[in-house]
Amino acid sequence: RRRTAILISGRGSNMAALLAAAADPAYPAEIALVLANKPAAGGLARAAEAGIPTAVVESRAFGRDRAGFEMAMEAELAKHGVELIALAGFMRVLTEGFVGRWAGRMINIHPSLLPAFPGVDTHARALAAGVRFHGCTVHLVTPGVDEGPIIAQAAIPVLADDTEDSLGARVLEQEHALYPAALALVAGGRVRVEGDRAVIERPAPPSGVAL
Ligand code: GAR
């Protein structure tokens, strides 16, 4: 099982969905660490309750020293033997150096159908744009914010009477199903990058079997 860190800044509902999936010993990732950049992140208590090691590297304490903040995170990741990173509501932009070191081994969940609506306030922007479908995306992290190769998406219709909250709640429900499925693909070695795209490999059939 690939040792995975979940990085959070807040309530950690996606983190909880990943912890629940990884509680199954057959799941290809094990959660080795939950790391928050804010001591008040609600997800920390939830992870600790589940018996998962937690750490806080407070981004505020580093001010503008982003490299210093990231080196402190690297120390925690190394201490826990982390091989993969899943960003789950982690609201700090990472430097090219950090992203480069974790290339192909770090994924993010974003609450829109990328490449539409990168950045913040995605549900309000989707409503304002009048799109008929909205959803969420899991992608590999590259230096451009919300730009990396797409691994998986879930789409839902936008309803005529949707508000930012009602739409966001339905997208979040999809996120909780999508993220564990996408992490399983990455941890299972099923994701290959071809140029700007991610391609999902089918598992090889048992020998002697043609599908
Ligand atoms: C989720 O909706 C996630 O997609 C979003 O923050 C929320 C975190 O909720 N992430 C981003 O906007 C990243 N750019 P959670 O803490 O309950 O998982």
Side-chain angles (χ1 to χ4, degrees), residues 10-15 88-91 108-111 119 146 172 175:
R11 70 189 158 184
S13 72
N14 277 290
M15 172 211 77
F90 185 73
M91 301 311 267
N108 180 46
I109 186 153
H110 181 78
D146 301 329
L172 190 63
E175 293 185 43

Side-chain angles (χ1 to χ4, degrees), residues 111-133:
S112 77
L113 292 172
L114 291 172
F117 312 122
V120 297
D121 294 332
T122 54
H123 309 310
R125 285 158 61 211
L127 287 174
V131 295
R132 292 332 193 229
F133 285 92

Side-chain angles (χ1 to χ4, degrees), residues 91-156:
M91 301 311 267
R92 295 287 294 197
V93 174
L94 298 161
T95 67
E96 273 195 48
F98 188 93
V99 171
R101 284 194 296 280
W102 289 92
R105 301 186 297 142
M106 178 161 60
I107 61 177
N108 180 46
I109 186 153
H110 181 78
S112 77
L113 292 172
L114 291 172
F117 312 122
V120 297
D121 294 332
T122 54
H123 309 310
R125 285 158 61 211
L127 287 174
V131 295
R132 292 332 193 229
F133 285 92
H134 185 44
C136 49
T137 302
V138 176
H139 63 94
L140 286 164
V141 177
T142 55
V145 174
D146 301 329
E147 271 184 11
I150 290 169
I151 296 165
Q153 294 186 304
I156 55 163

